[in-house]
Amino acid sequence: MESFVHDLRLRLRGEVRFGELDRVLYSTDASFYRIKPIGVVIPRDEEDTIATVQLARAAKLPVLPRGGGTSLAGQTVGEAVVLDFSKYMNRILELNVEEGWAWVEPGVVQDTLKQYLKPHKLCFGPETSTSSRATLGGMCGNNSAGARSIIHGKTIDHILACRVVLADGSMATFGAVSADELRAKAAGSSLEAQIYRKIPKLVQEYRAEILARYPKILRRVSGYNLDALLPEFPESSPLPDPDQRFNLAKLMVGSEGTLGVITALKVRLIPLPKAAAVGVVHFRELNAAIDAVHSVLELNPSAVELVDHNILGPAARSQQFKDKVDFLEDDPEAVLIVEFQGEEVASRLEQLQRRSLGYTTCGLVEQEGQAQVWNLRKAGLGMLMSIRDERKPLAFVEDPAVPVERLPEFVRAFQEVIARHGTTAGYYGHASVGCLHIRPALNLKEQGDIDRMQAMLHEISDLTLSFGGAMSGEHGDGLARGWLNEKMYGPQIYDAFWQVKRAFDFDNRMNPGKIVGSPPPDQNLRYGADYQTLQLQTTLDFSREFGLARAVEMCNGNGACRKQEVGTMCPSFQATLDEQHSTRGRANALRAVLSGQAGAQGFTGQALHSAMDLCLSCKSCQTECPSSVNMAKLKAEFLHHYHQAHGTPLRDRVVGHIALVNQIGSALAPVANGLMRGPLGSLGKKLLGFAPERSLPEFTHQRFSRWFSAHKPAVCGNRGQVVLFHDTYMEYNTPSIGQAATKLLEHLGYEVILPERRCCGRPMLSKGLLHEAQTNARYNVDRLLPYAQAGIPILGCEPSCILTLKDEYLDLVPGGAAKDVAAQVQTMDEFLFGLKQQGALDQVFKPQDQPVLVHGHCHQKALVGTRPTLEVLKLAYPTQEINSGCCGMAGSFGYEQEHYDLSLKIGAQRLFPAIQKAQPQTLLVANGVSCRQQIAHGTDQSARHLVEVLADALKV
């Protein structure tokens, strides 16, 4: 092995990772399986891929290609050398608009291709719910489809050709060939020539059996696509291929990496639809929704998707969707999402509404409303898995597809199986093509449920076979269903599958154990009946998550944290494209350590520290992860244990006690500011490990609390009292924000109370100083409790500070007092938005001409959302939000020398360009002190707080 790794490092330009942590990170995907790989290679180009396959063959080691790792059946885990194409081999190589095709590398993400093609009014037809992170190579390997397969078919219908590294390390380009070209390619002794000789002969030999045993349905993605090589096979695609020539690319599609390693794909492109409309049909009963599918299909929709209450309920309660489900009326048991594309979409939507299929049908013609519906549908899997229970809806029998006309009958029979086994299930999926994802709830940590899983697999496969269906309608075979292929296709076709495998890969080195020769489904489970975890004493209260280990296990591997160019999660991954720096990667590392699966690595080991290091504690995973993994909380607890074992660095103590530092600096201002700008400041930054390029925040000599004590309220508090929690930065660095907040609140008729308080503890939490944070939290809860019990709002201007009282205090000081305080805590934005909704801000502000661009603070977006900020600002200013993600500063993160470059890279992805493109007179609003510092450093422009720009617009 040492020789193999040495040779890889000599020949490859890419990354070679064979450490214990690297193997842990790639031991799982979105399935419930776990197999630790031999090692990981991250190739930079096709030459790296060829070299890896050649060296692995010489070392007699298997190879496993991988994209985003979003496979639900375990296709991308195995004891092999994993090739991760998502980091570097993600380029769009060539686009031909006139002929409607493009060459892409396998690591290109679906949504990236979608945005690239949009200006050309083209698209790639299949679009899965994981389009924000799933790659084209993964789609090809799995023969993915998505919601619109009724009009676009599957990936196989859109792959024209592919470049492949064969098992012996040679290259081949598979595409449509004429009879003469086929004969020419079959000549010679190369592996490619042998394949061209064997496969056509094999197809003809098994022709009758293929015609007899392959399901005659659109959504069949199991086994090898031998039917696609028979021109006379009954057409199962809505997009007939006019090119009937022999094309081995169709055999590579859906092969799950078992026949070769794809390095490039030639994909067919189709025109974007001219128009679209969506109807959401509401039902009181699930089966009524399924019964209505046939009637809906008569209207020629482009999609008919089922979503049940197991998804709708969590969505309505989630921070991510709660303001975006206003298309739902009452509390439906299920809805059908019906989309129309092309011509006369509005009239077809009206026809749907007139049919009165449910108790109501909400029609959406605006793009924003439709996007909200589809975003909810795409989050379906994560929403199902977000339940905080050991029994979760699992993917093992969730993928059968049957003739759509028999779907109601099939579902009722499926429900009988579920009831007989004493469990429940979540329902969602592609009703238009008879492929519903029905996920029974099981706990695979219990042997009884493992046995139940196997029994249900046998019963559901019998049922599916009797309906003329396929066990894999979208998610593929992998480890979950590959062992069923002989049963589903019969021994003759299964023998043909083996012959295909041997023709391409005689030594069984290409992702072995998938499609053929698969192990039983109860092997290699991520958890299993013998799964145990370390029992650690935690300082933070994890009872809301049912313990530290359960908090980690909320990550189901769906990979939403790997999305790019949208949202905030996960800022470090978006900048590095490295699995280690995704929320999923950190959760995998934590779980492996807690369960003893990481070798000698312990919970306080350096390897785990490296995995957690680039977490910015932005909290976006708390909202944007459909399963609400709270990595910021997990990191705080980890750092606490790590420092107890290794000692707390001076820099972490300084940052954690920034309130004391600022108090001293303020007392010595303005002298302290001059010293910090000179050699003493440079020396201090060097000693603490701060980036020399960063300017340290200046101190104010007149602390905000002193100004407040001296000032005279402008009006009497005839509307009641409010508490203003004056954070550390307001107190010692930017008192102007506190003054503006006071002016604004008093103008509205409130008496402002400045409470006795200590630092909120957020800086301490970020550095794992949990005991110190706990002390401050108890102090603040005690001081604020009387106000909370009196029903007085507790307001704050710095999002990270005030929201610590609302969120982390529940874990630092568990009990009724902290809950009472948290219940009264609001950001200034929330409080003002509440007044706006009451009509109390009417005629308060003078309309301004200056446009405003808003950058939302990460914690604000995660726990509150930016809607309050935007709605209040619109009372006075033309306002627009920047699709900025995280600014990259994250408290002290951007100050730290080792994080400085990454911090700027994160800001430069979306935030800095949006600001630099803005008109000169544009006002920038950023409520976070760190955000304002990053904007000033990265763009040389100043941003202000919401209360400052609103105070300027008050009618006097």
Side-chain angles (χ1 to χ4, degrees):
M1 184 61 67
E2 289 182 7
S3 175
F4 170 64
V5 174
H6 174 74
D7 291 345
L8 281 173
R9 289 185 171 134
L10 280 179
R11 287 189 59 180
L12 268 58
R13 294 175 58 244
E15 301 176 32
V16 179
R17 300 182 175 186
F18 279 65
E20 188 67 24
L21 177 62
D22 299 303
R23 297 172 64 207
V24 163
L25 295 179
Y26 288 83
S27 64
T28 62
D29 51 15
S31 71
F32 52 68
Y33 291 102
R34 181 188 67 84
I35 303 176
K36 197 178 292 185
I38 295 168
V40 180
V41 170
I42 307 178
R44 284 190 178 270
D45 48 35
E46 188 174 84
E47 287 72 24
D48 276 0
T49 309
I50 294 169
T52 302
V53 174
Q54 290 175 344
L55 290 170
R57 179 171 181 256
K60 298 183 178 179
L61 296 174
V63 170
L64 193 169
R66 174 169 165 142
T70 57
S71 300
L72 287 166
Q75 289 92 329
T76 58
V77 296
E79 191 174 356
V81 178
V82 170
L83 283 156
D84 179 357
F85 292 104
S86 64
K87 186 172 183 178
Y88 298 122
M89 291 185 67
N90 53 20
R91 296 173 300 166
I92 298 166
L93 302 172
E94 184 180 359
L95 171 65
N96 189 312
V97 174
E98 292 74 21
E99 297 181 16
W101 55 261
W103 275 99
V104 302
E105 289 183 315
V108 171
V109 171
Q110 292 178 57
D111 279 355
T112 301
L113 180 62
K114 181 179 181 179
Q115 292 304 313
Y116 178 83
L117 295 172
K118 193 173 182 179
H120 304 286
K121 298 182 179 180
L122 294 171
C123 70
F124 180 69
E127 182 179 355
T128 68
S129 62
T130 54
S131 62
S132 62
R133 62 269 193 197
T135 64
L136 269 291
M139 292 185 74
C140 179
N142 207 45
N143 197 7
S144 301
R148 299 179 182 90
S149 60
I150 192 172
I151 59 171
H152 294 324
K154 305 187 294 290
T155 298
I156 192 172
D157 302 307
H158 300 266
I159 300 298
L160 303 175
C162 58
R163 286 182 58 79
V164 183
V165 183
L166 299 176
D168 65 348
S170 62
M171 283 299 304
T173 298
F174 293 139
V177 294
S178 66
D180 289 342
E181 290 170 326
L182 177 58
R183 282 191 291 272
K185 284 182 173 291
S189 59
S190 68
L191 178 55
E192 180 184 10
Q194 294 176 47
I195 292 168
Y196 271 105
R197 286 197 297 271
K198 291 179 180 179
I199 299 303
K201 181 179 178 181
L202 181 70
V203 171
Q204 290 306 315
E205 179 183 348
Y206 287 90
R207 174 181 171 278
E209 196 69 9
I210 293 170
L211 291 170
R213 291 304 299 259
Y214 272 67
K216 310 303 188 293
I217 55 174
L218 190 154
R219 296 297 286 267
R220 191 268 326 150
V221 301
S222 56
Y224 292 122
N225 293 320
L226 295 175
D227 58 329
L229 302 180
L230 274 180
E232 66 267 39
F233 190 86
E235 184 57 56
S236 60
S237 169
L239 295 171
D241 187 356
D243 190 345
Q244 294 295 316
R245 292 178 295 169
F246 187 83
N247 189 343
L248 280 177
K250 294 183 180 297
L251 194 59
M252 292 301 300
V253 177
S255 63
E256 300 185 355
T258 62
L259 303 182
V261 180
I262 292 173
T263 59
L265 293 160
K266 185 180 182 181
V267 297
R268 176 166 67 165
L269 307 175
I270 60 176
L272 281 172
K274 294 180 180 179
V278 168
V280 183
V281 191
H282 298 53
F283 297 88
R284 303 289 185 194
E285 296 179 353
L286 172 69
N287 286 340
I290 296 168
D291 292 343
V293 171
H294 179 72
S295 178
V296 173
L297 291 176
E298 295 174 350
L299 300 174
N300 297 317
S302 53
V304 184
E305 296 288 291
L306 175 78
V307 182
D308 84 341
H309 70 282
N310 290 292
I311 295 171
L312 300 175
R317 296 187 295 270
S318 72
Q319 179 61 42
Q320 184 179 9
F321 289 107
K322 67 179 184 181
D323 294 329
K324 300 173 182 177
V325 291
D326 50 6
F327 56 84
L328 293 177
E329 297 185 25
D330 295 335
D331 186 19
E333 177 75 13
V335 299
L336 288 178
I337 300 171
V338 182
E339 182 192 71
F340 300 103
Q341 287 187 0
E343 305 292 339
E344 300 180 345
V345 293
S347 64
R348 290 156 70 194
L349 179 59
E350 289 176 6
Q351 291 179 51
L352 175 68
Q353 293 171 317
R354 285 198 299 270
R355 294 203 172 194
S356 302
L357 296 174
Y359 65 83
T360 189
T361 298
C362 173
L364 299 158
V365 294
E366 297 295 331
Q367 287 189 357
E368 183 179 353
Q370 293 181 49
Q372 290 178 0
V373 173
W374 286 119
N375 288 338
L376 172 62
R377 167 61 187 91
K378 287 187 174 187
L381 168 60
M383 288 292 173
L384 275 177
M385 298 298 287
S386 69
I387 62 171
R388 299 188 183 278
D389 194 300
E390 290 284 27
R391 266 196 169 190
K392 292 184 183 293
L394 298 181
F396 62 102
V397 291
E398 93 299 352
D399 203 29
V402 298
V404 66
E405 63 271 13
R406 302 195 67 186
L407 184 62
E409 179 187 358
F410 175 76
V411 170
R412 284 171 170 82
F414 201 129
Q415 290 169 336
E416 291 177 5
V417 175
I418 293 170
R420 191 160 56 248
H421 286 281
T423 186
T424 58
Y427 297 75
Y428 70 103
H430 317 298
S432 59
V433 286
C435 180
L436 288 188
H437 303 313
I438 305 174
R439 298 171 64 109
L442 297 176
N443 176 13
L444 296 187
K445 297 176 186 175
E446 296 182 355
Q447 187 60 48
D449 271 7
I450 295 175
D451 296 340
R452 190 171 286 110
M453 175 187 74
Q454 295 199 84
M456 294 180 76
L457 272 163
H458 285 290
E459 291 184 44
I460 296 302
S461 58
D462 288 343
L463 180 67
T464 304
L465 194 57
S466 71
F467 274 76
M471 275 300 284
S472 298
E474 179 170 35
H475 298 153
D477 292 329
L479 296 169
R481 288 174 291 271
W483 64 283
L484 282 170
N485 276 333
E486 184 170 10
K487 173 182 179 178
M488 300 305 293
Y489 289 95
Q492 292 187 58
I493 293 295
Y494 192 66
D495 179 65
F497 288 169
W498 267 116
Q499 292 187 54
V500 169
K501 174 68 170 172
R502 293 189 186 104
F504 279 84
D505 177 26
F506 186 81
D507 294 325
N508 196 24
R509 298 289 180 191
M510 310 306 290
N511 199 9
K514 315 304 190 308
I515 298 184
V516 291
S518 301
D522 62 337
Q523 292 184 16
N524 307 306
L525 297 177
R526 185 186 295 197
Y527 300 115
D530 59 348
Y531 178 83
Q532 293 183 339
T533 58
L534 297 173
Q535 299 301 311
L536 297 175
Q537 184 69 37
T538 65
T539 300
L540 293 173
D541 180 18
F542 281 88
S543 59
R544 285 194 283 175
E545 297 86 359
F546 302 100
L548 176 65
R550 301 295 90 79
V552 173
E553 292 163 16
M554 286 303 295
C555 174
N556 56 64
N558 72 74
C561 49
R562 290 174 56 95
K563 59 187 171 66
Q564 303 171 31
E565 301 174 4
V566 291
T568 303
M569 177 182 69
C570 171
S572 54
F573 175 80
Q574 291 182 1
T576 66
L577 299 184
D578 195 315
E579 177 72 16
Q580 177 178 342
H581 304 309
S582 66
T583 306
R584 180 176 71 178
R586 297 182 186 104
N588 275 337
L590 282 165
R591 188 186 64 252
V593 167
L594 290 172
S595 60
Q597 297 168 353
Q601 302 292 338
F603 190 66
T604 57
Q606 183 58 46
L608 189 54
H609 186 275
S610 298
M612 303 298 289
D613 183 50
L614 296 192
C615 172
L616 280 71
S617 297
C618 67
K619 294 191 180 184
S620 55
C621 51
Q622 200 169 335
T623 296
E624 294 181 29
C625 169
S627 300
S628 301
V629 174
N630 191 341
M631 193 53 63
K633 181 177 179 179
L634 291 166
K635 180 181 181 180
E637 187 66 44
F638 162 74
L639 284 177
H640 177 69
H641 287 259
Y642 185 82
H643 291 332
Q644 284 186 322
H646 301 283
T648 305
L650 175 62
R651 184 177 70 188
D652 287 5
R653 290 198 177 277
V654 170
V655 170
H657 293 278
I658 193 67
L660 177 60
V661 173
N662 281 2
Q663 183 179 3
I664 296 170
S666 178
L668 298 176
V671 175
N673 294 327
L675 292 174
M676 288 298 98
R677 287 192 292 268
L680 183 61
S682 299
L683 178 62
K685 286 189 280 188
K686 184 175 182 180
L687 290 173
L688 291 173
F690 287 141
E693 299 89 342
R694 290 284 187 188
S695 298
L696 297 172
E698 295 206 342
F699 309 108
T700 179
H701 185 64
Q702 187 186 38
R703 295 158 51 170
F704 169 67
S705 58
R706 290 177 181 168
W707 173 89
F708 185 85
S709 298
H711 102 290
K712 294 181 180 179
V715 295
C716 62
N718 60 337
R719 298 196 63 180
Q721 296 176 316
V722 293
V723 171
L724 179 61
F725 187 88
H726 50 306
D727 59 83
T728 294
Y729 312 103
M730 178 190 294
E731 176 72 351
Y732 301 115
N733 305 104
T734 54
S736 60
I737 292 175
Q739 293 165 15
T742 303
K743 175 183 176 182
L744 184 57
L745 290 167
E746 289 180 347
H747 184 88
L748 295 172
Y750 289 96
E751 177 189 350
V752 180
I753 301 170
L754 218 59
E756 185 182 352
R757 61 98 184 109
R758 290 181 180 173
C759 169
C760 67
R762 176 73 247 164
M764 297 167 179
L765 283 160
S766 71
K767 296 304 177 185
L769 306 178
L770 298 190
H771 289 157
E772 292 93 327
Q774 198 170 51
T775 299
N776 281 19
R778 287 175 178 148
Y779 183 93
N780 287 336
V781 167
D782 287 345
R783 299 305 182 278
L784 295 172
L785 184 60
Y787 301 113
Q789 291 176 333
I792 299 174
I794 301 168
L795 311 180
C797 291
E798 175 60 35
S800 62
C801 293
I802 193 64
L803 292 174
T804 297
L805 277 65
K806 194 176 189 70
D807 189 19
E808 281 90 350
Y809 276 23
L810 300 177
D811 301 318
L812 286 166
V813 193
K819 289 181 180 178
D820 289 345
V821 170
Q824 292 300 318
V825 165
Q826 296 181 66
T827 63
M828 278 290 295
D829 314 53
E830 288 179 281
F831 180 73
L832 294 172
F833 181 57
L835 294 178
K836 175 186 179 295
Q837 291 180 310
Q838 299 167 20
L841 298 186
D842 295 345
Q843 307 304 315
V844 170
F845 301 104
K846 294 179 293 184
Q848 307 291 308
D849 294 330
Q850 280 183 289
V852 167
L853 277 181
V854 176
H855 165 68
H857 187 282
C858 290
H859 291 189
Q860 175 189 8
K861 287 187 281 190
L863 299 177
V864 176
T866 55
R867 184 187 175 195
T869 308
L870 300 171
E871 292 294 326
V872 173
L873 280 168
K874 286 175 182 177
L875 293 171
Y877 298 90
T879 302
Q880 184 178 353
E881 183 176 15
I882 303 172
N883 174 27
S884 52
C886 177
C887 74
M889 193 66 168
S892 69
F893 184 89
Y895 278 100
E896 294 160 0
Q897 177 70 63
E898 68 274 24
H899 298 143
Y900 173 75
D901 289 339
L902 178 64
S903 169
L904 288 182
K905 187 175 182 180
I906 293 171
Q909 288 186 306
R910 284 179 278 161
L911 176 60
F912 297 167
I915 291 174
Q916 289 158 349
K917 290 177 184 176
Q919 300 172 7
Q921 72 272 25
T922 300
L923 284 173
L924 302 176
V925 169
N927 286 350
V929 60
S930 296
C931 304
R932 295 192 297 273
Q933 291 166 350
Q934 179 78 318
I935 288 170
H937 187 74
T939 68
D940 291 325
Q941 297 193 48
S942 298
R944 304 179 72 197
H945 194 283
L946 165 94
V947 295
E948 294 180 295
V949 297
L950 286 180
D952 287 348
L954 285 171
K955 289 182 178 179
V956 180

